[in-house]
Amino acid sequence: MILFFSAVLVGLVLTAAVRYICLRWQILDVPNTRSGHGEPTPTLGGVALIVGFWVVVGLHLVLDMPLPDHIRGLLWASLILCFLIRDEFREMGRLQKLGVQVLAAFAMFWGGVVLESITLGSHVYEFGVFGVVVTVFVLVLLQNLYNFMDGLDGFAASEGVLVSGALVAVFWTQAPSLATLFLGVCGVTLGFWIWNKPSARIFLGDVGAHFLPLCFAMGGIQSESMGIVPFEIVILPLGAFLFDSIYTLLRRLMRGENITIAHRFHLYQRLQFLGWTPWAINGIYALCTVLFSGCVLFWHFDWGVVGDTFLGMAMVLIGLGTIYVEQRFAMVDR
């Protein structure tokens, strides 16, 4: 627990330092018609997250704790993501951002993070020479889907805390190096969340919203290669975030909208439009994340029926929530 509390302290202090620098140099997110906040707010909180992650790696070395295989891939990727800082000063084009995402994905691949196969039920499907393509595609996709959800105070950070905590429990007995790494990630993210919770005093920014999904992807890919838990099960705690992102993307495609243009039509954004507070939205998504995480844990420890029950509750909650939003907006449109 020394590692966890040290990581929380590191997250708190680093976030405070980044916030001070942002205020001093006026690196602020000025609200516009798509914003969910009303006051200019410091950004670049993700920089504190990445520096905190490096400190966690250093703590592993100081405390003589094992580090996961291929950690260097994530370290290199975290440095590449820092190029997204430029977007806070001068808006980057879509292709420029995509380039950074792809480079970060290749950095992880070169560092040994490779999705060589995927387990579905009792079958293992090998990707062979296409492993690099699948790996880069999955890493870029997860970066975008997670980043889409970073538009509400405390939202992406609380998800990071909960998912990291779930992975600590999943890996604790069979992959202690992964468990302690995610314990540190959980602590640093919690330290940041204290500053980011509603009403946020600093935002995560693109840097952090791309870094967290790469952490989870690395855990899933290594878990798959070690035969612990299949990749798709490891990322299941992200179910609520992934559903909102994919559902909104498909909904916009079916309506013939340009999906490359920024918008405010995610389910969580429409809940805010309907008058839900940031705390209420955070709470309902956190509940879904806890249910998905419980499902993974019970499956992992061979309590399949309980795991199925948790999965069913999560899916019912998401389904009812989606119907509620669509019906309310149908009434508004009329």
Side-chain angles (χ1 to χ4, degrees):
M1 295 305 290
I2 293 176
L3 175 67
F4 176 73
F5 288 114
S6 298
V8 174
L9 182 61
V10 166
L12 268 170
V13 173
L14 288 175
T15 304
V18 170
R19 182 175 183 272
Y20 172 79
I21 292 171
C22 287
L23 288 171
R24 186 175 180 84
W25 291 355
Q26 291 295 290
I27 308 173
L28 306 174
D29 188 330
V30 179
N32 55 42
T33 55
R34 298 189 308 272
S35 301
H37 60 290
E39 299 288 336
T41 305
T43 184
L44 293 183
V47 174
L49 217 59
I50 286 178
V51 176
F53 172 75
W54 278 75
V55 173
V56 164
V57 172
L59 285 173
H60 273 72
L61 299 176
V62 170
L63 298 173
D64 197 26
M65 302 171 71
L67 284 165
D69 295 335
H70 315 309
I71 186 66
R72 64 184 183 276
L74 186 55
L75 292 171
W76 293 344
S78 68
L79 290 177
I80 292 172
L81 290 179
C82 288
F83 282 107
L84 293 173
I85 294 173
R86 181 190 170 196
D87 192 54
E88 309 300 339
F89 298 92
R90 181 187 302 172
E91 186 173 357
M92 296 174 64
R94 290 187 294 272
L95 289 179
Q96 290 177 313
K97 286 187 177 182
L98 179 61
V100 174
Q101 294 165 4
V102 172
L103 281 176
F106 268 110
M108 292 188 67
F109 175 81
W110 288 324
V113 182
V114 186
L115 189 60
E116 298 176 331
S117 63
I118 192 166
T119 304
L120 297 175
S122 58
H123 299 282
V124 178
Y125 298 91
E126 302 283 346
F127 296 125
V129 295
F130 297 104
V132 58
V133 177
V134 175
T135 301
V136 171
F137 173 77
V138 168
L139 294 178
V140 171
L141 179 65
L142 283 177
Q143 287 180 77
N144 280 284
L145 294 180
Y146 200 93
N147 187 49
F148 291 160
M149 301 298 288
D150 182 30
L152 185 70
D153 294 355
F155 205 37
S158 62
E159 182 77 356
V161 171
L162 293 172
V163 174
S164 297
L167 296 186
V168 171
V170 168
F171 296 135
W172 193 257
T173 56
Q174 294 177 271
S177 61
L178 280 173
T180 55
L181 181 72
F182 278 106
L183 188 65
V185 171
C186 181
V188 171
T189 310
L190 178 59
F192 167 78
W193 175 85
I194 293 171
W195 288 95
N196 180 242
K197 68 183 189 301
S199 296
R201 288 171 285 176
I202 186 170
F203 292 149
L204 190 60
D206 283 350
V207 177
H210 285 72
F211 173 69
L212 283 174
L214 289 184
C215 290
F216 305 142
M218 186 204 74
I221 290 172
Q222 291 212 23
S223 177
E224 177 75 46
S225 64
M226 295 167 68
I228 302 173
V229 180
F231 172 78
E232 71 276 9
I233 303 301
V234 172
I235 64 169
L236 184 57
L238 289 167
F241 265 37
L242 296 181
F243 174 83
D244 193 334
S245 289
I246 295 171
Y247 174 79
T248 303
L249 184 64
L250 293 176
R251 181 178 180 273
R252 296 188 70 204
L253 282 171
M254 292 176 65
R255 291 165 65 96
E257 298 176 13
N258 185 346
I259 61 173
T260 64
I261 297 177
H263 64 95
R264 283 184 56 80
F265 297 116
H266 280 284
L267 292 171
Y268 78 90
Q269 292 171 322
R270 291 195 281 165
L271 282 174
Q272 192 175 24
F273 177 84
L274 291 172
W276 284 48
T277 67
W279 276 112
I281 299 171
N282 271 271
I284 197 68
Y285 276 79
L287 176 57
C288 289
T289 301
V290 169
L291 290 173
F292 279 121
S293 300
C295 168
V296 173
L297 289 173
F298 283 117
W299 281 350
H300 180 51
F301 293 109
D302 294 325
W303 287 60
V305 175
V306 182
D308 292 344
T309 302
F310 271 65
L311 177 62
M313 289 191 294
M315 294 177 67
V316 167
L317 186 58
I318 287 177
L320 291 177
T322 304
I323 293 171
Y324 164 78
V325 170
E326 294 295 353
Q327 287 186 340
R328 288 294 305 274
F329 264 81
M331 294 171 61
V332 171
D333 291 340
R334 286 200 297 267

